[in-house]
Amino acid sequence: MIDFQIVDTYDELCRRGADIIAAQIQKKPNSVLGLATGSSPVGIYQNLIARYRSGELDFSKITSVNLDEYVGLGGDHPQSYRYFMQKNLFDSVNIDPKKTFVPNGLAEDSAAECAAYDRKIEELGGIDLQLLGIGLDGHIGFNEPGDCFVESTHLVALHPSTIAANARFFESVDEVPRSALTMGIGSIMRARKILLIANGAAKKEIVQKAVSGPVTPQIQASVLQLHPDVTVIYSKD
Ligand code: GLP
């Protein structure tokens, strides 16, 4: 069941999104949070940092597992997702660095890295709340459109449209990595609660398809319709 909320502004989206995450942290201070990168969650992270600074939130018992990482980028590369998380959230709250997990984009054996990542999520008891953005082609994490939903963490070749969309963060399109490690649809769907956020006119159509179109691996986010506890917040700006 999807609780689909449409709001006017990105500010409102961030307030509501942060409310949901804050409620999870307050209800279960040792929650496992599944976290996302991309431009959409940035305002939510800023909102959570403000709540931490005001004493409303404590991250000391939280564990985080991120959705994905570019292959070939180390954590000190400014476009790596590890770096993104440090700069946009981890460095500004009291989360224990040892309890923040992001797939290792420099792993020599990607299959072993993926298997270890899934074992880690299992050991942690699964994800309490998974935050998701959505790609223009309907991807969640880096689960790109295809013929099936992939269950576990895996290596993916990025779609040309994703490479083009993410080129804005790099000096040129040639610098965008061609592949990534991503959590699979299985781990995402086993999260006990899911929050997907999207903003702007360009995402309107894909969000509508994901929320109420046919469930198809061509639009990976559509699988969320089969999850019992999903909130989707879309803002127009
Ligand atoms: C990226 C990430 C996704 C993210 C999506 C949308 O490629 N792998 O996790 O949700 O694209 O990004 P943005 O929020 O910048 O539009």
Side-chain angles (χ1 to χ4, degrees):
M1 238 293 283
I2 297 187
D3 171 16
F4 184 29
Q5 306 178 15
I6 300 176
V7 297
D8 284 332
T9 64
Y10 180 65
D11 270 0
E12 176 65 12
L13 177 157
C14 292
R15 243 190 324 273
R16 289 193 192 197
D19 279 348
I20 291 172
I21 298 172
Q24 174 68 42
I25 296 173
Q26 280 156 351
K27 188 177 80 182
K28 187 179 174 195
N30 63 344
S31 290
V32 177
L33 300 180
L35 297 179
T37 54
S39 49
S40 318
V42 170
I44 291 194
Y45 294 148
Q46 282 167 0
N47 193 306
L48 292 174
I49 291 167
R51 292 177 197 223
Y52 162 71
R53 289 190 174 141
S54 74
E56 191 190 321
L57 284 182
D58 174 15
F59 288 80
S60 63
K61 297 192 177 70
I62 293 293
T63 300
S64 70
V65 283
N66 258 79
L67 283 167
D68 46 13
E69 181 59 283
Y70 287 117
V71 166
L73 301 193
D76 53 356
H77 188 291
Q79 297 311 331
S80 74
Y81 285 166
R82 160 59 74 180
Y83 190 93
F84 174 100
M85 289 309 302
Q86 293 299 141
K87 295 296 154 207
N88 285 285
L89 182 66
F90 299 156
D91 289 350
S92 304
V93 296
N94 65 336
I95 195 163
D96 178 351
K98 292 193 293 297
K99 291 198 282 192
T100 66
F101 298 95
V102 180
N104 176 9
L106 294 181
E108 275 177 26
D109 182 345
S110 57
E113 170 66 15
C114 291
Y117 205 68
D118 284 336
R119 273 198 306 278
K120 173 54 69 184
I121 296 171
E122 222 182 291
E123 268 167 41
L124 291 168
I127 297 164
D128 290 303
L129 171 61
Q130 176 67 56
L131 175 63
L132 297 172
I134 183 170
L136 287 171
D137 61 5
H139 71 236
I140 47 179
F142 266 134
N143 291 279
E144 294 280 31
D147 299 332
C148 60
F149 296 108
V150 179
E151 153 80 20
S152 43
T153 302
H154 58 288
L155 174 69
V156 276
L158 301 180
H159 266 216
S161 67
T162 301
I163 293 168
N166 289 357
R168 67 189 194 278
F169 300 113
F170 293 81
E171 299 250 308
S172 81
V173 71
D174 299 332
E175 287 182 23
V176 185
R178 269 29 189 178
S179 55
L181 303 180
T182 184
M183 210 187 266
I185 293 295
S187 308
I188 295 172
M189 287 295 280
R190 278 190 293 276
R192 289 177 268 284
K193 193 174 178 62
I194 295 177
L195 168 62
L196 184 145
I197 49 149
N199 65 299
K203 294 267 176 84
K204 188 175 175 195
E205 196 183 328
I206 194 68
V207 170
Q208 260 156 2
K209 283 186 182 159
V211 167
S212 51
V215 174
T216 163
Q218 291 300 327
I219 297 172
Q220 294 271 318
S222 65
V223 75
L224 300 176
Q225 292 176 39
L226 307 178
H227 189 282
D229 187 356
V230 180
T231 302
V232 173
I233 312 175
Y234 170 77
S235 78
K236 293 170 187 163
D237 72 352

